[in-house]
Each structure stands twice: as structure tokens, then as C-alpha cells.
Amino acid sequence: MGNNQQIQLAFYGDDFTGSTDALEFICKAGAKAVLFIEAPATSQIQRFGQLDAIGVAGKTRSLSSEDIVTVLENAFKTLSDLDARHLHYKVCSTFDSSPTIGSIGTVLDTASIIFTNRPIPILGGTPSLGRYCAFGNLFAKMGIGSSGAVYRLDRHPSMSQHPVTPADESDLRFHLQKQTNKAIGLIDIVELQKPVQDWNEVTGEDSVLIDAIYEEQLIKIGEWLEQQSSKHDGSYFSIGSSAIEMALGFYWNKIGQLQKKVDWLKPGKAEPLLVVSGSCSPVTAAQIAWAKRNGFEELVIDAAGICNNESPEKVFDKVNDLLRQQKNMIVHTGPKQANNLSSEKLGNALGTIARNAVMDCSIKRVVVAGGDTSSYAARAMEIEAVEMIAPLVSGAPLCKAYSHNEWIDGLEVNFKGGQVGAEDYFGVLLEGRMRSE
């Protein structure tokens, strides 16, 4: 973006895995970007030189509506002071939320007080991740980066059974209006076929949902977002998955504002690899089964016990002993154990296991699986910020960690949501190879 010092995009993610997903897509577009754990002050940003984009890896996906308001009022105020052209609240691509937990409606209500643009856009689909929004209804592939079948969201074998926010409605307008009184309009797939200047003006609505089923539609959506932002003073606020980063990135590439990045560092193999997982997803369960068949050692922990700090040293000793033997390790809770535990307690426990292993065994790379727990695991690992290293699997890049803890600083980390990846996901992360290699 030349000598323009203004940050073009700031985003706030509702969990850590989703935030690294957004980081990946804006970096692929050629932006220089850093993801922070907390909303950064200007002095923190300046450490990294001139940035095109910054992100904040929040934890609002697991919070009550009351806590969301408290967290976001402060975060949005800090991010607004950066005077970024676009400010995006990044949600899971399956819009995981409910009126009481991770409420996107509460986010919309809070943002409506702080930001002036109307209607506030909500981008529904993320085609590259197998998420398709048509006439307001969301469809999702079984697994991201896999060949799984596509299901309507409320009939999705995994999302309809989510332990915290099960999907019971595929129309995102109805889903969100259980969480807010704000009126939500629609720019549908028929409208998307027209030139941007011919799209119907959405008037009298507080927000507008935008369909997306094909990746090429995102260029038009990015153009529309840019046109809308030029009509408003201050940051232009939007809600959606990492498709917002893709839409803006595609459009900025088209007009030459950014140059798409295609050459990435090949990180190579990192053995032993440590995986810690609090995911209840059948996608992750299949990946763990693959890893066990392919030489990974498995340790199923007593999730309730470790969350309650019962004999954690025994777990540390088992994990670290195997890592010292150069064994690749998966530490997880099993598919059912985590259902009745708080994301905070479980994430803290898994992150503490990972931090202890890094400090004791000097391992190079750690994978954290599970969207709801990831934000707490990252904090327990004492990660303060990350930069992208390489896009090994779409939606879950390999990153470099920054930390005041000298053992964690420089660590290679990968955070993956439960739905991300094919069966050999942990093998890909072990080898450090691009999916196309």
C-alpha cells in the first residue's frame, strides 16, 4: 500500500483459531499484518513497522452477552482510535452463537452504538472454506479443507450437535434475530449477479446480510464494501467470517493496492510435534485416529481433573517423557469429556500443558485444536502476538509466536478449529509441507 501509513483493516476475532484464519487470508492478499492477543496500543504496533492490517484474537465466542458488551466496548474503542479504514468483527464461518453464548446479535447491538455506518454489512458465505450462503441460508461442508459432503447448517452432522451452540436454524437472519431486535436486510445471490452500482440500496435496515456461494463473488463484495466505506467518516464496521478479508484482499489485488503473495517459506519438518486438543468435533476425532495409525502417541487426559488442577505434574511428566523420546504426541480429552466443562478451564489446562512441554523439551512446533478453547490456550501459553509463516492448510496457517517468555518467543504455532482439515491434518503439520506439495 505504498507510503500510506493508515491501517487499512483492523479485525477482532471471536476466538483464536478464527483470528488466524482471517490473518491468513489478508496476508495471502499481500498485506503485512500482525495478530495480537489484546487490542494493541500504537506503541505495540510500531514494534512491527508499517502494517497494512492488524487483528485481535478475542474470546467472545465463549462469553455471555453481558461479558461480550464489556469486552467489546473497550476493544472497539481502542481499535477505533487506530483510525483503520475498515473494522471487522470476525465470526466463525458457521456463525456459532446463541442468545446467551457468543451472541453475534449482542455484537451488532454494541457496534451500532459505536459505529455510524448503516446498514452494517454481515457477510454470510466463505466459499473457499466450504461455507455457502444462498437467499440467507447457510450451507457447510463437513470439514474444512476436506472432500466432505455439504449440508444445510441445521442438518449438519457436527454443527447441529455442537456442545455449546448447536445450529438449529439455517437462515442467518432468523438465527441472528433470536439475538437482536435489529432489522436485517438481504443482498441475495440474484442481486450479486448485477454490477455493484446496480445493487439495490438497502434502506430502513440496521444491517444487511450478503450471500456468497462462489469465490469470484467476493471481488464484487469487496468493491461494494470499499464504496460504502468511502461514504462514511471513521472506520467502516462489518461482521462476518474471514470472507471479509478475502473480499477486501481480492479487490485490493484487482486495483493494484496490494500485490498477492504466492511465495511462502517452506517450514519443513518439526519433530517431535505436540498436539493439544479440546475439540469435540468428529472431524478432529478422525484426524486423531489417523495420527494414531501413523505413529503418534496418544494421551487421553482426565479433562475434569486437569481443569480442577488435580495432579497436573503427572500429566506433564507423561507428555514430556514421550517428547524427550522424540515421540509425536497428541494430548486430548476424548470426544465426550469436554462437553460439560468451561472453555476457559479446559483451554487454560491445555495451554499450560503445551507451555510446560515447550519449556521443558524445547520443541519447535505446537498445534492447538478446538475453537472454543483456543483463545484461553493461547493466553495460557503466554503468547502475545503472532505473524503468519505459511498457509499449510486453508483456514489454519502456521504462525510465529511473540512472547515475553523466551521459550515461547519464536515458537511455531498452529491453531485449528474443530471443522478444519482432512484426516491427515496432523501429518501435514508434522511435515511442514504445503497441501499442494
Side-chain angles (χ1 to χ4, degrees), residues 102 120 132 145 152 166 213 224-225 251 317 359 364 411 414:
I120 289 174
Y132 311 102
R152 202 175 76 184
I213 57 173
W224 184 84
L225 290 169
Y251 182 66
D317 290 345
M359 295 176 67
K364 176 183 177 182
L411 178 71
N414 173 260

Side-chain angles (χ1 to χ4, degrees), residues 269-276 287-299 322-323 326-332 365-367 423-433:
K269 193 170 186 177
E271 196 169 29
L273 179 72
L274 173 63
V275 178
V276 293
Q287 292 163 348
I288 292 172
W290 181 95
K292 288 165 59 180
R293 294 194 302 270
N294 286 273
F296 279 70
E297 296 289 335
E298 175 192 37
L299 177 61
L322 288 167
L323 289 172
Q326 297 297 297
K327 302 289 188 181
N328 300 312
M329 277 289 302
I330 295 182
V331 181
H332 70 105
R365 186 176 300 162
V366 172
V367 178
E423 278 195 345
D424 64 344
Y425 183 91
F426 299 129
V428 171
L429 267 295
L430 169 63
E431 297 294 335
R433 55 182 167 83

Side-chain angles (χ1 to χ4, degrees), residues 135-179:
F135 298 103
N137 285 270
L138 189 60
F139 298 79
K141 182 184 289 188
M142 184 65 177
I144 294 172
S146 73
S147 58
V150 175
Y151 299 88
R152 202 175 76 184
L153 194 65
D154 57 347
R155 296 178 181 175
H156 192 280
S158 179
M159 295 315 306
S160 65
Q161 301 298 316
H162 192 284
V164 181
T165 52
D168 58 5
E169 173 60 67
S170 65
D171 190 318
L172 293 179
R173 291 166 296 176
F174 286 95
H175 174 63
L176 295 176
Q177 286 182 324
K178 295 176 182 178
Q179 306 172 21

Side-chain angles (χ1 to χ4, degrees), residues 305-320:
I306 196 72
C307 285
N308 292 322
N309 205 33
E310 295 173 8
S311 303
E313 291 79 11
K314 292 183 179 180
V315 175
F316 297 158
D317 290 345
K318 289 180 182 178
V319 172
N320 296 352

Side-chain angles (χ1 to χ4, degrees), residues 2-16:
N3 295 318
N4 185 355
Q5 296 294 320
Q6 183 183 23
I7 292 174
Q8 301 299 303
L9 169 68
F11 65 86
Y12 186 98
D14 64 356
D15 70 8
F16 206 100

